[in-house]
Amino acid sequence: MPRSKVAQAEEVLQALTSILRREDEVKPSEVLRAAELLGKRYGLFGEQPAEPVKPPSIVVDIPHEEGSQ
C-alpha cells in the first residue's frame, strides 16, 4: 500500500513526542517547540476552570409570632 503524502494526526503527535523525549539528536529550541505544540494540543496553557462553587443556601427560619405580621 503506498504511503500517503499527508501525515495523519497520530503520526504528527508521535513525531512531536519523539522530539520532546530527545530520541534523536535535536536542538533545545526544537524540544521547547515540540513541548509547546503538544501543550497547546492538550489544552495545558489556557485558563484552568475553577472548581465548581456551590452557591450558599439561605434558610429563613424565623419563628412567626402569633398576631403580628
Side-chain angles (χ1 to χ4, degrees):
M1 177 185 295
R3 191 170 182 176
S4 172
K5 290 184 179 183
V6 179
Q8 299 296 313
E10 186 67 25
E11 186 179 357
V12 172
L13 292 174
Q14 288 173 356
L16 289 172
T17 300
S18 175
I19 293 168
L20 181 67
R21 291 181 177 162
R22 300 174 187 203
E23 292 175 356
D24 296 318
E25 210 172 298
V26 293
K27 297 182 220 173
S29 61
E30 293 173 322
V31 174
L32 183 60
R33 182 66 176 149
E36 179 184 0
L37 291 171
L38 286 169
K40 283 182 180 180
R41 164 65 177 88
Y42 291 110
L44 301 177
F45 304 124
E47 285 287 324
Q48 296 295 323
E51 291 290 321
V53 177
K54 184 177 175 185
S57 298
I58 300 174
V59 178
V60 179
D61 191 19
I62 303 172
H64 181 70
E65 292 182 22
E66 298 263 339
S68 67
Q69 290 185 335

